[in-house]
């Protein structure tokens, strides 16, 4: 071999090693292809065509490690406009890949393609992905499992096996027809007909269920369930007959482990629990049922699955479990109040202590005139009395390319007309319409109190913030009192998450640091409330230098 060939060989070998040896700093690139296609389901009561990814319901699980880059090529083969959101992924400087239609991108139109590319930085745990347009997320959703970096253990005992458990809501009718009918009438949409666990209502359902979703377990082993609430409109309780659940992580952040009979999980949230298979044999039912402590109709059908011990005789009796009552506020509170950030040396809770923006946002319903609606009015929802109107051009596109007339940045930081939000409501239930954003400078710290109102009815609202995790520093019933309530905030180990329930007739306080430039949606994760306008966005300006500046959009970015 002459020297030139030898050198070439060495260089090729070095490039080969560099590209195949997973560097623990840079991570790997994970490629996925999502074909958005119609699929006739036969799993549930009746067969109907649904929109799916790759023909699967729930859709495929994305598995990656912290520091990996994920590239998902989405190809739209259906008649609907589509966009996909990677729920809880921080998208540091890559807002182009966040997904909410008309917020960070225009939709991927029929026959269109878009490659979502983002890096998983500083996060590990369970997240999920879902369609972020119309009501398509009813069937277009799946799990994202972010494993810790190679060689880094979980801060809890390694489970024998891990199982993704996606909870959903199922309508016999086409979900687009359900919301379109409601919008035409100006009234609430029909509630779902069944809850599902990994696409199945379960063995107790009158529907064809093939025995329901089964988790096979061996006595003496520990299992981790990665539970995701992908339901459109309902907070859910989760229980397993005869087994305690140890909560170790929520929304891809570690928590101080605690043991409970019942998990409460709002749409948008994820919860990892450890389950010890302590029984000898048998089938132990899992029950998923709604939590609703307001006078609002819900789908009250319990979905079931089972822990199925190996060696169980087919004749052995199935162990039942009673779900909590629908309005079990104390059960919900007990779960929520047990959540604390792990706050270890390795995973500290970096709660902002100095606050630049102290905001109060009311969240609730309202009624606006509608000449074409049945009774001349429609139910709407708002934040600080602003019912958000979707723009025709994506907000991030307008922000980055300086397109004027798409949004204004005068979203009110406080209610313009303060009143006793949880007392007697104003006679006038009307709201203002607008496409208003709240502007933050890079690194600004925000304290945001989300205050439920009793307009029409008090109700629990799970608020989701894109682009950030936040710390839940306080929570209470009634009106937030800035003097007495702030003194009680937990600034040491508050739970860190991306979606938090505002209690019915109460408030929740969160804190975050605006260290991600771009346009970031915040909205109720009850899809009906999002449709009605309970949404707004923050625009975060670039900071100093390239590391604090949004990247340029990818070449295939769907613009309007
Ligand atoms: C679904 O089934 C219906 C009737 O059974 C059929 O007409 C339709 O072509 C099927 N659609 C798909 C996408 O397979
Ligand atoms: C799909 O999106 C494009 C781009 O925003 C828009 O022009 C079109 O009206 C949308 N189609 C439907 C059916 O909404
Ligand atoms: C909603 O429910 C009503 C009453 O049960 C029914 O008449 C209507 O067809 C349903 N709408 C849809 C879109 O399924
Ligand atoms: C499960 O088993 C582990 C190991 O034996 C133990 O530390 C843990 O407390 C058990 N958890 C529950 C909920 O019983
Ligand atoms: C569920 O709701 C329906 C309709 O409101 C009601 O008829 C039924 O009794 C409820 N079932 C349970 C178990 O609460
Ligand atoms: C319209 O108003 C009547 C009388 O108040 C009420 O009974 C009916 O349910 C309303 N219709 C809708 C769609 O809200
Ligand atoms: C938008 O305006 C800002 C500030 O005037 C400027 O720095 C930036 O280059 C403009 N961007 C584009 C794409 O024109
Ligand atoms: C708000 O109204 C409720 C119910 O009437 C009352 O109990 C409460 O004291 C009022 N709060 C304030 C701050 O006025
Ligand atoms: C909300 O805005 C509407 C329209 O401007 C106004 O009529 C109403 O009084 C406002 N309500 C509150 C609570 O601010
Ligand atoms: C933001 O904070 C980081 C870390 O504290 C600091 O290095 C950086 O200079 C800050 N940037 C701005 C624009 O304040
Ligand atoms: Cu809501």
């Amino acid at each position: 071999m002459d020297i030139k060939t030898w050198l070439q060989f060495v260089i090729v070998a070095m490039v080969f090693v560099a590209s195949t040896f997973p560097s623990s700093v840079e991570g790997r690139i994970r490629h996925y292809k999502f074909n958005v296609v119609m699929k006739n389901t036969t799993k549930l009561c009746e067969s109907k065509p649904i929109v799916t990814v790759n023909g699967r319901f729930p859709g495929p699980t994305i598995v990656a490690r912290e520091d990996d880059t994920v590239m998902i090529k989405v190809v739209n083969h259906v008649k609907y406009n589509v966009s996909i959101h990677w729920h809880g992924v921080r998208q540091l400087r890559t807002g182009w890949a966040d997904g909410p239609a008309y917020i960070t991108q225009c939709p991927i139109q029929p026959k269109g393609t878009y490659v979502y590319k983002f890096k998983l930085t500083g996060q590990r745990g369970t997240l999920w992905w879902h369609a972020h347009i119309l009501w398509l997320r009813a069937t277009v959703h799946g799990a994202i499992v972010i494993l810790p970096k190679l060689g880094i253990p979980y801060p809890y005992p390694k489970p024998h096996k891990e199982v993704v458990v996606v909870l959903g809501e199922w309508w016999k009718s086409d979900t687009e027809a359900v919301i379109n009918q409601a919008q035409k009438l100006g009234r609430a949409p029909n509630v779902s007909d069944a809850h599902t666990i990994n696409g199945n209502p379960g063995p107790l359902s009158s529907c064809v269920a093939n025995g329901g979703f089964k988790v096979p377990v061996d006595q003496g082993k520990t299992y981790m369930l990665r539970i995701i609430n992908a339901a459109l409109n309902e907070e859910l309780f989760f229980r397993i007959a005869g087994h305690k659940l140890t909560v170790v992580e929520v929304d891809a952040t570690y928590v101080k482990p605690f043991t409970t009979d019942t998990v409460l999980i709002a749409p948008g949230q994820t919860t990892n629990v450890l389950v010890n298979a302590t029984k000898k044999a048998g089938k132990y039912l899992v029950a998923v049922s709604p939590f609703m402590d307001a006078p609002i109709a819900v789908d009250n059908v319990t979905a079931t699955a089972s822990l199925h011990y190996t060696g169980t005789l087919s004749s052995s009796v199935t162990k039942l479990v009673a779900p909590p009552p629908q309005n079990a506020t104390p059960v919900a509170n007990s779960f929520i109040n047990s959540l604390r950030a792990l706050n270890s040396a390795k995973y500290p809770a970096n709660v902002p202590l100095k606050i630049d923006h102290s905001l109060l946002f009311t969240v609730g319903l309202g009624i606006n005139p509608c000449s074409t609606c049945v009774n001349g009015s429609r139910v709407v929802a708002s934040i600080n009395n602003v019912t958000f109107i979707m723009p025709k051009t994506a907000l991030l596109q307008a922000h980055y390319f300086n397109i004027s007339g798409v949004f204004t940045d005068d979203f009110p930081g406080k209610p313009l007309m303060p009143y006793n939000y949880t007392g007697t409501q104003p006679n006038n239930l009307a709201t203002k319409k607008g496409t208003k954003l709240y502007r933050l400078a890079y690194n600004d710290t925000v304290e945001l109190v989300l205050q439920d109102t009793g307009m029409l009815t008090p109700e629990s609202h799970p608020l989701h913030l894109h682009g950030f995790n936040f710390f839940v520093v306080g929570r209470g019933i009634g009106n937030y009192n800035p003097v007495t309530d702030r003194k009680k905030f937990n600034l040491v180990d508050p739970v860190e998450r991306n979606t938090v329930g505002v209690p019915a007739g109460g408030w929740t306080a969160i804190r975050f640091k605006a260290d991600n430039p771009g346009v970031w949606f915040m909205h109720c994760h009850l899809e009906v409330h999002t449709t009605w306008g309970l949404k707004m966005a923050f625009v975060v300006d670039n900071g100093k230098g390239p590391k604090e500046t949004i990247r340029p959009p990818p070449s295939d970015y769907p613009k309007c």
Side-chain angles (χ1 to χ4, degrees):
M1 192 188 306
D2 66 26
I3 184 83
K4 206 171 140 206
T5 319
W6 185 81
L7 261 179
Q8 267 174 359
F9 173 79
V10 168
I11 288 166
V12 168
M14 281 167 68
V15 169
F16 179 76
V17 167
S19 63
T20 55
F21 190 75
S23 137
S24 62
V25 178
E26 277 308 312
R28 284 173 46 182
I29 298 186
R30 311 263 180 172
H31 291 273
Y32 283 87
K33 179 144 186 212
F34 277 21
N35 283 311
V36 181
V37 291
M38 297 305 294
K39 168 84 178 174
N40 277 343
T41 60
T42 48
K43 258 193 205 171
L44 288 116
C45 278
E46 67 303 309
S47 94
K48 73 164 187 179
I50 57 171
V51 185
T52 67
V53 164
N54 300 349
R56 292 167 59 183
F57 172 65
T61 298
I62 288 180
V63 182
R65 280 189 192 279
E66 180 179 348
D67 280 343
D68 285 353
T69 294
V70 188
M71 293 178 76
I72 307 112
K73 180 175 186 179
V74 178
V75 186
N76 182 0
H77 299 279
V78 301
K79 66 176 180 181
Y80 300 106
N81 278 340
V82 166
S83 78
I84 303 216
H85 170 52
W86 318 93
H87 184 115
V89 173
R90 294 244 9 232
Q91 300 290 3
L92 293 167
R93 300 164 49 219
T94 54
W96 312 108
D98 192 38
Y102 301 107
I103 307 298
T104 59
Q105 66 165 96
C106 286
I108 307 168
Q109 295 185 37
K111 299 194 173 69
T113 296
Y114 181 39
V115 180
Y116 290 89
K117 180 179 175 189
F118 50 86
K119 192 172 168 182
L120 300 166
T121 306
Q123 296 182 282
R124 73 301 298 167
T126 307
L127 294 172
W128 63 301
W129 55 266
H130 61 80
H132 214 306
I133 185 167
L134 308 169
W135 271 29
L136 296 184
R137 82 172 174 85
T139 55
V140 179
H141 60 243
I144 303 176
V145 172
I146 311 173
L147 301 169
K149 292 178 210 181
L150 269 180
I152 305 286
Y154 294 135
Y156 44 81
K158 187 176 169 16
H160 173 61
K161 281 209 173 104
E162 302 183 3
V163 183
V164 166
V165 179
V166 182
L167 313 181
E169 268 184 283
W170 180 262
W171 278 258
K172 291 181 180 174
S173 301
D174 173 43
T175 37
E176 294 310 315
V178 170
I179 184 58
N180 289 342
Q181 180 185 49
Q183 286 295 81
K184 206 169 152 205
L185 299 174
R187 288 299 174 267
N190 292 356
V191 298
S192 54
D193 297 300
H195 294 108
T196 54
I197 303 173
N198 284 345
N200 202 315
L204 296 194
S205 156
S206 53
C207 298
V208 180
N210 306 321
F213 177 70
K214 280 184 205 149
V215 182
V217 297
D218 293 336
Q219 189 198 356
K221 301 256 161 73
T222 300
Y223 296 81
M224 182 159 80
L225 308 182
R226 296 175 175 271
I227 310 168
I228 296 165
N229 186 347
L232 284 191
N233 296 322
E234 289 176 8
E235 298 189 42
L236 297 167
F237 287 125
F238 180 99
R239 263 187 191 175
I240 306 181
H243 292 76
K244 300 251 184 229
L245 310 168
T246 302
V247 180
V248 292
E249 183 231 293
V250 297
D251 295 5
T253 74
Y254 295 132
V255 299
K256 287 196 179 74
F258 67 95
T259 296
T260 179
D261 291 325
T262 312
V263 164
L264 172 72
I265 184 165
Q269 296 181 330
T270 60
T271 307
N272 284 8
V273 298
L274 299 177
V275 186
N276 290 345
T278 49
K279 307 289 178 190
K280 277 208 176 63
K283 284 181 252 173
Y284 290 80
L285 278 195
V286 175
V288 169
S289 63
F291 166 53
M292 172 53 77
D293 58 355
I296 289 179
V298 288
D299 166 5
N300 59 13
V301 184
T302 300
T304 51
S306 60
L307 285 197
H308 202 115
Y309 280 79
T310 42
T312 299
L313 301 173
S314 58
S315 60
S316 71
V317 180
T318 299
K319 305 290 192 303
L320 302 179
V321 59
Q326 188 175 298
N327 62 356
T329 312
V331 177
N333 285 344
S334 159
F335 180 82
I336 293 166
N337 294 335
S338 302
L339 291 166
R340 292 274 184 287
L342 182 59
N343 192 28
S344 61
K346 220 170 192 165
Y347 303 101
N350 293 318
V351 188
L353 298 177
K354 182 191 133 291
I355 296 298
D356 299 313
H357 301 257
S358 187
L359 309 179
L360 175 64
F361 286 5
T362 60
V363 294
L365 306 182
I367 295 196
N368 280 347
C370 165
S371 58
T372 57
C373 295
V374 171
N375 282 352
S377 69
R378 70 160 63 254
V379 182
V380 294
S382 69
I383 304 181
N384 274 351
N385 202 37
V386 182
T387 292
F388 188 89
I389 301 301
M390 290 302 269
K392 299 258 185 298
T393 301
L395 300 175
L396 183 59
Q397 184 189 338
H399 166 60
Y400 188 85
F401 293 101
N402 299 328
I403 305 167
S404 62
V406 178
F407 67 84
T408 54
D409 63 3
D410 57 347
F411 190 89
K414 296 205 160 18
L416 298 180
M417 201 188 89
Y419 69 100
N420 184 341
Y421 308 112
T422 56
T424 310
Q425 295 300 309
N427 292 328
N428 177 5
L429 301 184
T431 65
K432 237 189 300 286
K433 292 179 193 169
T435 307
K436 295 176 185 295
L437 273 57
Y438 190 92
R439 189 175 292 273
L440 297 168
Y442 189 90
N443 273 353
D444 277 0
T445 51
V446 180
E447 176 178 286
L448 170 56
V449 176
L450 296 157
Q451 170 74 58
D452 183 35
T453 73
M455 280 213 190
L456 299 187
T457 170
E459 185 179 354
S460 173
H461 299 279
L463 265 289
H464 171 47
L465 177 62
H466 291 227
F468 302 95
N469 280 345
F470 49 74
F471 293 95
V472 186
V473 296
R475 179 174 186 271
I477 295 302
N479 290 306
Y480 170 70
N481 181 320
V483 179
T484 55
D485 288 327
R486 191 178 271 123
K487 285 190 193 138
K488 293 183 231 149
F489 283 175
N490 175 4
L491 303 177
V492 177
D493 61 356
V495 68
E496 180 182 350
R497 45 190 338 166
N498 63 55
T499 306
V500 68
V502 179
W507 56 271
T508 296
I510 63 174
R511 288 188 176 190
F512 66 97
K513 182 177 180 184
D515 55 358
N516 193 9
V519 174
W520 304 108
F521 206 18
M522 192 180 76
H523 60 96
C524 183
H525 222 282
L526 305 184
E527 207 56 40
V528 54
H529 292 173
T530 310
T531 305
W532 286 347
L534 209 166
K535 47 196 173 188
M536 57 80 68
F538 290 97
V539 51
V540 180
D541 288 321
N542 288 332
K544 291 176 291 200
K547 290 223 155 111
E548 298 182 354
T549 298
I550 187 164
R551 289 171 193 274
S555 56
D556 60 345
Y557 175 63
K559 292 184 193 159
C560 286

